[in-house]
Coordinates of all heavy atoms in Angstrom, one line a residue:
P4 N 0.4 16.4 -12.5 CA -0.6 17.5 -12.2 C -1.8 17.5 -13.1 O -2.9 17.9 -12.7 CB 0.3 18.7 -12.4 CG 1.7 18.2 -12.4 CD 1.7 16.9 -12.9
M5 N -1.7 17.0 -14.3 CA -2.8 17.0 -15.2 C -3.9 16.0 -14.8 O -5.1 16.4 -14.8 CB -2.3 16.6 -16.6 CG -3.4 16.8 -17.7 SD -2.9 16.1 -19.3 CE -1.3 16.9 -19.6
S6 N -3.5 14.9 -14.3 CA -4.5 13.8 -14.0 C -4.7 13.7 -12.5 O -5.5 12.9 -12.0 CB -4.1 12.5 -14.6 OG -4.0 12.6 -16.0
G7 N -3.9 14.4 -11.7 CA -4.0 14.2 -10.2 C -2.9 13.3 -9.6 O -2.4 13.5 -8.5
D8 N -2.5 12.3 -10.4 CA -1.4 11.4 -10.0 C -1.0 10.5 -11.2 O -1.7 10.5 -12.2 CB -1.8 10.5 -8.8 CG -3.1 9.8 -9.0 OD1 -3.6 9.7 -10.1 OD2 -3.7 9.3 -8.0
C9 N 0.1 9.9 -11.0 CA 0.5 8.9 -12.0 C 1.3 7.8 -11.3 O 1.7 8.0 -10.1 CB 1.2 9.5 -13.2 SG 2.9 10.1 -12.8
F10 N 1.6 6.7 -12.0 CA 2.3 5.6 -11.4 C 3.5 5.2 -12.2 O 3.5 5.3 -13.4 CB 1.3 4.4 -11.3 CG 0.1 4.7 -10.4 CD1 -1.0 5.4 -11.0 CD2 0.0 4.4 -9.1 CE1 -2.1 5.7 -10.2 CE2 -1.1 4.7 -8.3 CZ -2.2 5.4 -8.9
C11 N 4.5 4.7 -11.5 CA 5.7 4.2 -12.2 C 5.9 2.8 -11.8 O 6.1 2.5 -10.6 CB 6.9 5.0 -11.8 SG 8.4 4.5 -12.6
L12 N 5.7 1.9 -12.7 CA 5.8 0.4 -12.5 C 7.2 0.0 -12.8 O 7.8 0.3 -13.8 CB 4.8 -0.3 -13.3 CG 4.7 -1.8 -13.1 CD1 4.1 -2.1 -11.7 CD2 3.7 -2.4 -14.2
F13 N 7.8 -0.8 -11.9 CA 9.1 -1.3 -12.1 C 9.0 -2.7 -12.8 O 8.3 -3.6 -12.4 CB 9.8 -1.6 -10.7 CG 10.2 -0.3 -10.0 CD1 10.4 -0.3 -8.6 CD2 10.2 0.9 -10.6 CE1 10.6 0.8 -7.9 CE2 10.5 2.1 -9.9 CZ 10.7 2.0 -8.6
R14 N 9.7 -2.7 -13.9 CA 9.8 -4.0 -14.7 C 11.3 -4.4 -14.8 O 12.2 -3.6 -14.7 CB 9.2 -3.8 -16.1 CG 7.7 -3.5 -16.1 CD 7.2 -3.4 -17.5 NE 5.8 -3.1 -17.6 CZ 4.8 -4.0 -17.5 NH1 5.1 -5.3 -17.3 NH2 3.5 -3.7 -17.5
W15 N 11.5 -5.7 -15.1 CA 12.8 -6.3 -15.1 C 13.0 -7.0 -16.5 O 12.2 -8.0 -16.7 CB 13.1 -7.2 -13.9 CG 12.9 -6.4 -12.6 CD1 11.7 -6.4 -11.9 CD2 13.8 -5.6 -12.0 NE1 11.9 -5.6 -10.8 CE2 13.2 -5.1 -10.8 CE3 15.1 -5.2 -12.3 CZ2 13.8 -4.3 -9.9 CZ3 15.7 -4.4 -11.4 CH2 15.1 -3.9 -10.2
Y16 N 13.9 -6.6 -17.3 CA 14.2 -7.2 -18.6 C 15.5 -8.0 -18.5 O 16.2 -7.8 -17.5 CB 14.3 -6.1 -19.7 CG 13.0 -5.5 -20.1 CD1 11.9 -5.5 -19.3 CD2 12.9 -4.8 -21.3 CE1 10.7 -5.0 -19.7 CE2 11.7 -4.2 -21.7 CZ 10.6 -4.3 -20.9 OH 9.4 -3.7 -21.3
E17 N 15.7 -8.8 -19.5 CA 16.9 -9.6 -19.5 C 18.2 -8.7 -19.8 O 18.1 -7.8 -20.7 CB 16.8 -10.7 -20.5 CG 18.0 -11.6 -20.6 CD 17.9 -12.7 -21.6 OE1 16.8 -12.8 -22.2 OE2 18.8 -13.5 -21.8
S18 N 19.2 -8.9 -19.0 CA 20.4 -8.1 -19.2 C 21.2 -8.6 -20.4 O 21.2 -9.8 -20.7 CB 21.3 -8.2 -18.0 OG 20.7 -7.7 -16.8
T19 N 21.9 -7.7 -21.1 CA 22.7 -8.0 -22.3 C 24.0 -7.3 -22.1 O 24.2 -6.5 -21.2 CB 22.0 -7.6 -23.6 OG1 21.9 -6.2 -23.6 CG2 20.7 -8.3 -23.7
K20 N 25.0 -7.6 -23.0 CA 26.3 -6.9 -23.0 C 26.1 -5.4 -23.2 O 26.8 -4.6 -22.7 CB 27.2 -7.5 -24.0 CG 27.6 -8.9 -23.7 CD 28.6 -9.4 -24.7 CE 29.1 -10.9 -24.3 NZ 30.0 -11.4 -25.3
M21 N 25.2 -5.0 -24.1 CA 24.9 -3.6 -24.4 C 24.1 -2.9 -23.4 O 24.1 -1.7 -23.2 CB 24.3 -3.5 -25.8 CG 25.2 -3.9 -26.9 SD 26.8 -3.0 -27.0 CE 26.1 -1.4 -27.5
Q22 N 23.2 -3.7 -22.7 CA 22.3 -3.2 -21.6 C 22.5 -4.0 -20.4 O 21.8 -4.9 -20.1 CB 20.9 -3.3 -22.1 CG 20.6 -2.5 -23.4 CD 19.2 -2.7 -23.9 OE1 18.7 -3.8 -23.8 NE2 18.7 -1.7 -24.6
P23 N 23.5 -3.7 -19.6 CA 23.9 -4.5 -18.4 C 22.9 -4.4 -17.3 O 22.9 -5.2 -16.4 CB 25.3 -3.9 -18.0 CG 25.3 -2.5 -18.5 CD 24.5 -2.5 -19.8
Y24 N 22.0 -3.4 -17.3 CA 21.1 -3.2 -16.2 C 19.7 -3.5 -16.7 O 19.2 -3.1 -17.7 CB 21.1 -1.8 -15.7 CG 22.5 -1.4 -15.1 CD1 23.4 -0.6 -15.8 CD2 23.0 -1.9 -13.9 CE1 24.6 -0.3 -15.4 CE2 24.2 -1.6 -13.4 CZ 25.1 -0.8 -14.2 OH 26.3 -0.5 -13.7
S25 N 19.0 -4.3 -15.9 CA 17.7 -4.9 -16.3 C 16.5 -4.1 -15.9 O 15.4 -4.3 -16.4 CB 17.5 -6.3 -15.7 OG 17.6 -6.3 -14.3
L26 N 16.7 -3.0 -15.0 CA 15.5 -2.2 -14.6 C 15.0 -1.4 -15.7 O 15.7 -0.7 -16.4 CB 16.0 -1.3 -13.4 CG 15.0 -0.3 -12.9 CD1 13.8 -1.0 -12.3 CD2 15.6 0.6 -11.9
R27 N 13.6 -1.4 -15.8 CA 12.9 -0.6 -16.7 C 11.8 0.1 -16.0 O 11.1 -0.5 -15.1 CB 12.3 -1.4 -17.9 CG 13.3 -2.1 -18.7 CD 14.3 -1.2 -19.5 NE 15.1 -2.0 -20.4 CZ 16.3 -2.5 -20.0 NH1 16.7 -2.4 -18.8 NH2 17.0 -3.2 -20.9
L28 N 11.5 1.3 -16.3 CA 10.4 2.1 -15.7 C 9.3 2.2 -16.7 O 9.4 2.6 -17.9 CB 10.9 3.5 -15.3 CG 12.2 3.5 -14.4 CD1 12.5 5.0 -14.1 CD2 11.9 2.8 -13.1
H29 N 8.1 1.9 -16.2 CA 6.9 2.0 -17.0 C 5.9 3.0 -16.4 O 5.3 2.7 -15.3 CB 6.2 0.6 -17.2 CG 5.2 0.6 -18.2 ND1 4.6 -0.6 -18.7 CD2 4.5 1.5 -19.0 CE1 3.7 -0.4 -19.6 NE2 3.6 1.0 -19.8
L30 N 5.7 4.2 -17.0 CA 4.8 5.2 -16.4 C 3.4 4.8 -16.9 O 3.1 4.5 -18.0 CB 5.2 6.6 -16.9 CG 6.5 7.1 -16.4 CD1 6.7 8.5 -16.9 CD2 6.5 7.2 -14.9
L31 N 2.4 4.9 -15.9 CA 1.0 4.6 -16.2 C 0.2 5.8 -15.8 O 0.4 6.5 -14.8 CB 0.6 3.4 -15.3 CG 1.4 2.1 -15.5 CD1 0.9 1.1 -14.5 CD2 1.2 1.6 -16.9
E32 N -0.8 6.1 -16.6 CA -1.7 7.2 -16.3 C -2.7 6.8 -15.2 O -2.9 5.6 -15.0 CB -2.5 7.7 -17.6 CG -1.7 8.6 -18.4 CD -2.6 9.4 -19.4 OE1 -3.4 8.8 -20.1 OE2 -2.5 10.6 -19.4
A33 N -3.3 7.8 -14.6 CA -4.1 7.6 -13.4 C -5.3 6.7 -13.7 O -5.7 5.9 -12.9 CB -4.6 8.9 -12.9
D34 N -5.8 6.7 -15.0 CA -7.1 6.0 -15.3 C -6.9 4.5 -15.2 O -7.9 3.8 -15.0 CB -7.5 6.4 -16.7 CG -7.6 7.8 -16.9 OD1 -6.5 8.5 -16.9 OD2 -8.7 8.4 -17.2
R35 N -5.7 4.0 -15.4 CA -5.5 2.6 -15.4 C -5.5 1.9 -14.1 O -5.6 0.7 -13.9 CB -4.2 2.2 -16.2 CG -4.3 2.5 -17.7 CD -3.1 1.9 -18.4 NE -2.9 0.5 -18.1 CZ -1.8 -0.2 -18.5 NH1 -0.8 0.5 -19.2 NH2 -1.6 -1.4 -18.3
V36 N -5.3 2.7 -13.0 CA -5.4 2.2 -11.7 C -6.8 2.5 -11.2 O -7.2 3.7 -11.0 CB -4.4 2.8 -10.8 CG1 -4.5 2.4 -9.3 CG2 -3.0 2.5 -11.3
R37 N -7.7 1.5 -11.0 CA -9.0 1.7 -10.6 C -9.6 0.4 -10.0 O -9.0 -0.6 -10.1 CB -9.9 2.1 -11.8 CG -10.0 1.2 -12.9 CD -10.9 1.8 -14.1 NE -11.1 0.8 -15.1 CZ -10.4 0.7 -16.2 NH1 -9.3 1.4 -16.3 NH2 -10.7 -0.2 -17.2
T38 N -10.7 0.6 -9.3 CA -11.3 -0.6 -8.6 C -11.9 -1.6 -9.6 O -12.7 -1.2 -10.4 CB -12.4 -0.1 -7.6 OG1 -11.8 0.9 -6.7 CG2 -13.0 -1.2 -6.8
P39 N -11.5 -2.8 -9.5 CA -12.0 -3.8 -10.4 C -13.6 -4.0 -10.3 O -14.1 -3.9 -9.2 CB -11.3 -5.1 -10.0 CG -10.1 -4.7 -9.2 CD -10.5 -3.4 -8.6
T40 N -14.2 -4.2 -11.4 CA -15.6 -4.4 -11.4 C -15.9 -5.7 -12.1 O -15.0 -6.3 -12.8 CB -16.4 -3.3 -12.2 OG1 -15.8 -3.2 -13.5 CG2 -16.2 -2.0 -11.4
A41 N -17.1 -6.2 -12.0 CA -17.5 -7.5 -12.6 C -17.3 -7.6 -14.1 O -16.8 -8.5 -14.7 CB -18.9 -7.9 -12.2
D42 N -17.6 -6.4 -14.8 CA -17.5 -6.4 -16.2 C -16.2 -5.8 -16.7 O -16.0 -5.6 -17.9 CB -18.7 -5.7 -16.8 CG -18.9 -4.2 -16.3 OD1 -18.0 -3.9 -15.4 OD2 -19.7 -3.5 -16.8
G43 N -15.4 -5.4 -15.8 CA -14.1 -4.8 -16.2 C -14.2 -3.3 -16.5 O -13.2 -2.7 -16.9
G44 N -15.4 -2.7 -16.4 CA -15.6 -1.3 -16.8 C -15.3 -0.4 -15.7 O -14.4 -0.6 -14.8
L45 N -16.0 0.7 -15.6 CA -15.8 1.8 -14.6 C -17.2 2.2 -14.1 O -18.1 2.5 -14.8 CB -15.1 3.0 -15.2 CG -15.0 4.2 -14.3 CD1 -14.0 3.9 -13.2 CD2 -14.6 5.4 -15.0
S46 N -17.3 2.1 -12.7 CA -18.5 2.6 -12.1 C -18.3 4.1 -11.7 O -17.5 4.4 -10.9 CB -18.8 1.8 -10.9 OG -19.9 2.3 -10.2
L47 N -19.1 4.9 -12.3 CA -19.0 6.4 -12.0 C -19.7 6.7 -10.7 O -19.5 7.8 -10.2 CB -19.6 7.2 -13.1 CG -18.8 7.1 -14.5 CD1 -19.5 7.9 -15.5 CD2 -17.4 7.4 -14.3
M48 N -20.5 5.8 -10.2 CA -21.3 6.1 -8.9 C -20.4 5.8 -7.7 O -20.5 6.5 -6.7 CB -22.6 5.3 -8.9 CG -23.5 5.5 -10.1 SD -24.0 7.3 -10.2 CE -24.9 7.4 -8.6

């Protein structure tokens, strides 16, 4: 609600005896998902 949306990226780590399940969740803020530009910045226009 604060940013309008957020993203949950699925990652997979190596399983171990103490951690038998490899799925990891990585939450990303809205700002990191944006249209690529030539210089990698942000076009406000």
Side-chain angles (χ1 to χ4, degrees):
M5 188 190 306
S6 300
D8 52 15
C9 70
F10 299 83
C11 180
L12 186 64
F13 293 157
R14 296 185 180 275
W15 303 95
Y16 287 20
E17 184 178 355
S18 300
T19 64
K20 292 183 178 180
M21 296 297 295
Q22 298 172 331
Y24 300 105
S25 59
L26 173 65
R27 302 291 186 274
L28 305 179
H29 191 171
L30 291 182
L31 304 174
E32 276 199 311
D34 311 65
R35 289 188 55 188
V36 177
R37 59 184 188 269
T38 301
T40 57
D42 59 356
L45 174 71
S46 175
L47 297 181
M48 300 301 296

